[in-house]
Structures are given as structure tokens and as C-alpha cells.
Amino acid sequence: MASTTHPHAFHFDRAVDSYWEASADPLGLDTPALASDEACDVAIIGAGFTGLSAALELAGQGLDVRVLEAGHVGWGASGRNGGFACIGSHKLSYGKMIRTYGLDATRAYYRAMAESVDLVRDLTIRHGIDAWAGSDGEVTLAHLPSRAAELQDDQAFMKSTFGEDTELLAVEDLKERGIWGPQFFGGLKAHTGFGIHPLNYARGLAQAAAKAGARIHGRSQVTRWEERPDGHLLTTAGGTLQAKHVIVATNGYTPEDVSTRHAGRIMPALSSIIVTRPLSEDERRAQGWTSSLMAFDSRKLLHYFRLLPNGRFLFGGRGGTDASDKGGAAYRPLLAGAFNQLFPEWRNVEITHYWRGFVCLAYDLVPYVGTLDERETVWTAIAYHGNGVAMGTWCGRAVARMLTKRAAREEVPNVLTRRLARFPLPAFRPLYLKGAYVWYGWQDSR
């Protein structure tokens, strides 16, 4: 598997012990393992948001599409994330983005992110997916008084650059709207985005793709990939799949020893989540948090959180570099401690679920959509920087349309298509990540 991560992170034989797995609707779809030698037009590796969105688009165009998934549908990040369908799939600041790609390209990228949220909403409605769609909007909460002052500048920038109307919130506004905690000093509310049940959404996409004609093979980990003059041969434990084109849609779980064109180009990073038992109305009011609005704080190593439709509270955060089972057990009290600090009235509330998964970072700190070979037979959509519910869906459709020439490269924002750069000295990526966490931690305290 990926050379920078612990093998415990790739337990394809079992589901992660998440709240989403415990509460999801049944898949209702047969996804047999690949068990013979077969062929297709396009092979997609990964049955998450990106791969399933691509499969839905390609099957709708009449192509013979196979999806190979090492675990089950939504096994990876698509079934583990916080369910935030919203804007923000990059870590590059908008200022640096404008200087690198230009103002027009940056605006086009922003429009694509906004369109991606609409796409998720449209797909849930069109295909009857019960994704627990929540209230619209999200709020950034200042974790320091100095960050509250910066939010006003952010508001002016978003309006002048993207025409985006946001709402500046003082502490009293936070209390009035039920989005308050003692460590929050103000907020900035955006109106785009909504919360979902990510595994229900992934399973709904799989059903839609299968109905359109795509065939999905679970328990079909690709162990060998041969590139041939007439296409590609993918080998699993049960068979082989010959394809004219391959789309790699595995994001932070990309096996760099098999998908060698990705080697050294991505950095998996851990994100962890806890979910509480259902909170009573009195408990919510006592803490000052009664809203279902999606929220995250202004830290670089951010915390993200939201009240679920059934009264449970989801709280997640970035951090930790040990992907082993032992490392996961050690990180749980750290995440719970952060939760208790931000929401002290709930410090004795039972935590019923805890799990982790990988987000995917790129060297350029923006997603990539496009080809990885000169023949344009190897494609990928990848690196959503911890926010891939909406953008993974949009990029999956985009890479499928680029592959079939339904969309030209120029129609996809240049921010997404410029390159998937290799990290300098990629073997040292774990050290880069640890160094970045130290630096970000220092910045978050100022």
C-alpha cells in the first residue's frame, strides 16, 4: 500500500467502527468480487464519491464501466468523513491562488466548488437518496479574539473577489443563534453548503451508477497494474480486468506501489471523529449549541463539528501521524479533550463512536483533475484536502467528461488541471507532516 502509512490503515476485510456504518441504510446492491478475466472500456479504482460519480457519468454515456473497490462501497474517506457538503477543497490561500493561477482561474475554481454543492443536492433529489440533508450554510468560529478581527477582512475579500455575501457574527449573535461555546469569539456565516449522511450518500450513488449500467466489484483490491500498448491490465485476487482507460479514485488511500504514476505526489493525513449519544434539548441549551449548522474553528489544525438530526453531536479534528491501531487508541483522549474544552457542559456525555481516516493533500495544496500519461489513458481526480464530499462528486464527473471529450480540459478550471506535482524527497513526507503540525500548532496559539 501507500509507502508512508501504517498497514493497519488498510483493513479492507472489515468496516470502520463509525456512526455512519452503524446508522446507514443497507446498500441493497450486489457487488461481487471480480472472479474471472474480463474486459471493459473504463476501469475505475475506488468506490467512493469520486469513483462512483465518474461511473454514473460514464455509464450514462453508454460506456462499459467497472469499479474495483478493495473493501466495500464507501469503505474509505467517503464513508468516514464528517458529512460536510461545502466549499473549500484546498489549503492554498486565495491570495496565493490568485498570484499563481490568476484571478479569472481562481474565480472559476470558486464557481466549481459552489456548483459541486448544488450537484450533491441535485443527485440526492434526482436519485431519491436519503442523505439526511441538513440546514444550509456553515460558520467559521474565531478561536482567538485576534481571529475574530480578521473575519471582517475575510468578509470584505469574499464579497469583492467572489461576490459572496457572508454574515459577520458577534459573540451575542452566536449565543442568540445557538452556535456558542466559551472558546468562540465571533463568527462568519456563509450560505453555501449543507450536512449529509456520507455513507448513505455513497451507497445512493452506487445504486444510481449500477442502475445506469456500471458494474461494481467489492473485495477486489488491485494488486498489480500492467500498462500495455493496447490498454491496461489490472489484477486482483480473483481475476483480471483489461481496460482501455483507468481512473484512479482512491484519494488518500492510493496504493503508490501499484499506481506508480501517483508515487510521491500525495500526502495522506489523518482526521479523526467522535460522536456522542443523543443530547436532550436541555443539554443543548445548557451548552448554548442548539443549531444544526455546520461549523469549524479558525485553527489551521481545525476542529469541525455539527449537531446531527437525531441530537447526536459530531466532533472531528486534524492531527496525529501514527496510523496504527495503537496510535488511534492514543489519539482518542486528545480529541475528546479538545471536545471537552470547547463544549465543557458536555464533558460527561458518553462518546459512542470514534474512528479515523485519511484526507489527501497535494504539494500544490489544490485538487487535481486530469490525465497522468501522455496517451491520456490514465486519469485521476484527487486531493480534496479534507473536504471532498461535494468536490469529489464534481471532480469525478469532470474527469469522466474529460476522458470522453464531452468536456475539454479548458472547461475545467486551470487551478484543477495544471499539474499533480511530486513532493521533493517524497520519502520524507511523514517528517514534513510532523513539522507542519508543529508549525501550525504554534500559529494556532497566536
Side-chain angles (χ1 to χ4, degrees), residues 143-144 147 298-301 440-446:
H143 75 285
L144 294 171
R147 298 296 170 88
S298 55
R299 291 174 171 86
K300 289 187 176 295
L301 290 176
Y440 291 157
W442 179 78
Q443 289 184 308
D444 287 339
S445 66
R446 300 176 67 242

Side-chain angles (χ1 to χ4, degrees), residues 111-378:
R111 287 194 299 272
M113 289 192 292
E115 289 170 6
S116 74
V117 176
D118 292 337
L119 177 60
V120 173
R121 178 83 76 179
D122 177 65
L123 288 171
T124 61
I125 295 171
R126 190 189 326 163
H127 298 290
I129 302 172
D130 182 14
W132 298 12
S135 59
D136 288 337
E138 62 175 350
V139 61
T140 306
L141 296 168
H143 75 285
L144 294 171
S146 60
R147 298 296 170 88
E150 293 172 4
L151 291 179
Q152 189 169 355
D153 294 335
D154 293 342
Q155 181 185 43
F157 176 86
M158 295 301 290
K159 179 64 175 177
S160 63
T161 306
F162 304 118
E164 188 74 19
D165 290 319
T166 56
E167 189 176 359
L168 201 63
L169 304 175
V171 171
E172 290 306 313
D173 298 318
L174 300 182
K175 292 180 178 179
E176 180 182 339
R177 301 189 187 197
I179 48 177
W180 183 76
Q183 300 295 319
F184 305 137
F185 299 92
L188 186 64
K189 182 181 183 296
H191 302 289
T192 302
F194 59 96
I196 66 168
H197 189 304
L199 189 53
N200 271 359
Y201 174 56
R203 290 179 176 180
L205 283 181
Q207 292 169 358
K211 186 176 181 180
R215 284 178 283 181
I216 302 171
H217 298 284
R219 310 295 185 192
S220 298
Q221 179 184 354
V222 177
T223 57
R224 185 180 180 187
W225 179 347
E226 298 174 60
E227 296 191 32
R228 299 178 169 184
D230 59 345
H232 303 266
L233 187 68
L234 304 177
T235 300
T236 72
T240 63
L241 182 61
Q242 186 171 347
K244 300 172 186 175
H245 296 267
V246 177
I247 296 176
V248 181
T250 43
N251 210 41
Y253 293 87
T254 300
E256 297 180 34
D257 55 343
V258 175
S259 184
T260 55
R261 291 184 179 275
H262 284 84
R265 299 180 189 274
I266 59 171
M267 183 184 291
L270 288 165
S271 191
S272 304
I273 294 176
I274 55 177
V275 169
T276 71
R277 63 157 172 79
L279 299 163
S280 69
E281 291 185 11
D282 288 343
E283 286 174 318
R284 297 175 221 169
R285 284 194 295 265
Q287 175 54 65
W289 196 282
T290 58
S291 171
S292 60
L293 195 66
M294 299 183 300
F296 56 94
D297 62 25
S298 55
R299 291 174 171 86
K300 289 187 176 295
L301 290 176
L302 59 81
H303 300 111
Y304 50 95
F305 34 91
R306 64 187 182 99
L307 190 65
L308 301 181
N310 55 13
R312 293 176 183 267
F313 197 77
L314 179 149
F315 182 87
R318 307 281 191 261
T321 56
D322 184 352
S324 70
D325 292 341
K326 182 179 178 180
Y331 191 74
R332 175 172 177 157
L334 298 178
L335 185 63
F339 168 71
N340 293 337
Q341 182 181 18
L342 293 180
F343 302 98
E345 290 294 326
W346 297 338
R347 59 186 175 275
N348 295 320
V349 170
E350 179 190 2
I351 294 170
T352 61
H353 295 83
Y354 163 71
W355 69 94
R356 304 195 299 165
F358 287 130
V359 303
C360 185
L361 314 178
Y363 181 68
D364 288 340
L365 301 179
V366 294
Y368 176 74
V369 179
T371 184
L372 290 174
D373 70 332
E374 298 76 14
R375 296 185 299 161
E376 296 190 349
T377 63
V378 180

Side-chain angles (χ1 to χ4, degrees), residues 66-80:
R66 300 291 187 98
V67 181
L68 300 178
E69 166 58 49
H72 58 261
V73 168
W75 178 91
S78 294
R80 303 179 188 223

Side-chain angles (χ1 to χ4, degrees), residues 361-436:
L361 314 178
Y363 181 68
D364 288 340
L365 301 179
V366 294
Y368 176 74
V369 179
T371 184
L372 290 174
D373 70 332
E374 298 76 14
R375 296 185 299 161
E376 296 190 349
T377 63
V378 180
W379 299 79
T380 195
I382 201 165
Y384 309 118
H385 299 87
N387 202 344
V389 174
M391 206 57 182
T393 304
W394 191 94
C395 290
R397 186 183 68 174
V399 75
R401 290 180 173 180
M402 291 171 69
L403 184 155
T404 60
K405 309 300 183 185
R406 183 172 176 180
R409 179 187 179 97
E410 292 74 20
E411 295 178 58
V412 180
N414 182 40
V415 174
L416 297 171
T417 62
R418 182 170 177 178
R419 65 175 188 172
L420 182 62
R422 192 182 301 274
F423 281 83
L425 302 174
F428 291 97
R429 281 172 289 173
L431 296 180
Y432 297 160
L433 193 61
K434 290 180 180 181

